[in-house]
Amino acid sequence: MLDLSLVLLILVIVAALAFDYINGFHDTANAIATCVSTRALSVKAAILMAAFLNFAGAMVSTKVATTIGKGIVDASSITQMVVLAGVMGAIIWNLITWYYGMPSSSSHAIIGGIMGAVIAHSGPALLHWQGLKKIVLALVLSPIVGTIIGFIFMVIVLWIFRNHSPGPLNKGFRKLQVASAAFMAFSHGSADAQKSMGVITMALLSYGLIPSFEVPTWVKIACAVAMALGTAAGGWRIIKTLGRDFVKLQPVHGFCVETAAASVIMGAATIGMPVSTTHVITSSILGVGISKRLTAVNWGVAYRILWAWVLTIPASALMAFITYQGLTPLFGK
């Protein structure tokens, strides 16, 4: 007799890896948009570098995976259908925003997706509101911190090199920007691949294949590979939005953006907080742009990014809720 729970578990793993792949090409821009726009690296070289370092970063830690897997809901109190619908809701929203070139947050999407699926399954009572409060607080505060650090870092660098002419300065920072882009790619992998690790481990625990929430090595490798492959596929629509349309950047600006953003992301990953790499890098670009002058920022693009930030959690939750309702006649609850 067909084990429906096992079928759903396999579908969850496939969907979570697909989410990681989509996250890779959706969020490629996080690491490389600025170094591509300043011509520090070619698109191909930047994407290959980001793919390799995304993989390396994904293998470093599982603290964020634990937060995702335990901070939203108890795995023992939900079904495979809940996890599957949550991931599918996040995937649908990510694809919609990718199509329109909007740098929305995969972190917001997966959290909103799981929330929407849990609510569809049994209402909001099962959600860990205290854990969600910390997660959402980190997601909300990190862009603010990114803007401030990006602004301060840019001001400090400009003050240190105030007596240098722009030409030689940008030539030197073009080389440094390769290192800062590498740091950003590594931090992106360390933060974002862990969301799918958390989801798959949650599903394995729910099914009973593992006794406690510990991310298996094969899950780490599979998620790291999926994200690296997605990154290698690239995400030119969002690279263009971030790297060309939002703020016009020179190498010195790109270096400050990437270093500031990567510092925030790595700091959050160290304490297990799932911040949005998309919105941290975006806010760092905003901070650097403001340091030049307010008119250096394309406020129309900033407005669109803000709306994506506000809408992603509720929109992903709605997509997951609808997905759960649609799949229930086929698989049950």
Side-chain angles (χ1 to χ4, degrees), residues 157-175:
V157 168
L158 289 178
W159 185 84
I160 292 172
F161 294 98
R162 64 192 181 280
N163 295 323
H164 291 68
S165 58
L169 182 64
N170 277 315
K171 187 175 181 181
F173 271 98
R174 186 169 280 117
K175 295 176 182 178

Side-chain angles (χ1 to χ4, degrees), residues 137 151 184 216 320 328:
L137 188 63
F151 178 86
M184 181 62 206
T328 298

